[in-house]
Amino acid sequence: MRKIEHIGIAVKDFTVSVPLFEKMLNTVCYKNETVAGEKVNTAFFKKGETKIELLESLEPDGVIAKFIERKGEGIHHIAFDVEDIEAEMQRMKKEGFVLLNEIPKQGADNKLVCFLHPKGTNGVLVELCQEIK
Ligand code: ZN
């Protein structure tokens, strides 16, 4: 793990939240991307080295919709930048962490991603992500 790559925030409605974050961060959303496999829309903001990813559900039964139902809007996950996702996944498994996917998945923003089960991480959903070169 090298650094926090981004923080993921679950929101109900981009038409409300994108302008809100643009106002708060005083910068425009630089990327919108749909990840159909995860049933989410994403919107990215950058402030210096820090990236924020807003997540909006495409379907009422998507993971983000379910998360908001249980916990309300707010911080959904913390993503760490890794150099070699396969090696990091192996290391995590050896340390006893439970991976939510055994094979890296295609994520937003040109990344391969893997999530760790929050039961093993004090309730924090952790995403490992590696830039696709
Ligand atoms: Zn993410």
Side-chain angles (χ1 to χ4, degrees):
M1 281 189 196
R2 297 189 288 201
K3 59 168 188 173
I4 289 180
E5 214 285 328
H6 63 270
I7 295 171
I9 298 173
V11 303
K12 281 184 189 160
D13 184 356
F14 270 9
T15 63
V16 175
S17 298
V18 169
L20 177 79
F21 275 76
E22 285 181 333
K23 224 189 311 180
M24 180 173 69
L25 299 171
N26 195 23
T27 188
V28 291
C29 166
Y30 72 92
K31 188 188 268 189
N32 262 300
E33 202 179 323
T34 297
V35 185
E38 303 289 319
K39 298 180 183 170
V40 292
N41 272 326
T42 63
F44 285 92
F45 301 85
K46 204 171 203 169
K47 227 32 206 185
E49 287 287 289
T50 303
K51 260 165 65 180
I52 302 284
E53 173 188 41
L54 297 188
L55 302 149
E56 174 197 55
S57 191
L58 288 173
E59 312 273 350
D61 67 336
V63 286
I64 294 302
K66 285 181 184 156
F67 174 87
I68 290 172
E69 239 169 65
R70 286 198 323 269
K71 299 194 168 178
E73 292 177 296
I75 293 179
H76 177 259
H77 65 268
I78 297 178
F80 290 97
D81 175 49
V82 299
E83 183 144 8
D84 179 344
I85 195 164
E86 305 264 4
E88 196 62 19
M89 286 167 69
Q90 285 312 312
R91 187 186 74 82
M92 289 292 185
K93 247 165 92 169
K94 243 174 42 205
E95 295 288 356
F97 293 97
V98 178
L99 308 179
L100 288 181
N101 49 293
E102 291 290 324
I103 299 164
K105 289 196 286 191
Q106 176 86 45
D109 202 26
N110 197 40
K111 299 282 193 296
L112 286 174
V113 304
C114 174
F115 287 90
L116 304 185
H117 200 294
K119 277 195 175 137
T121 57
N122 283 172
V124 180
L125 181 60
V126 170
E127 174 186 352
L128 307 174
C129 65
Q130 179 205 308
E131 181 102 49
I132 301 169
K133 283 152 201 157

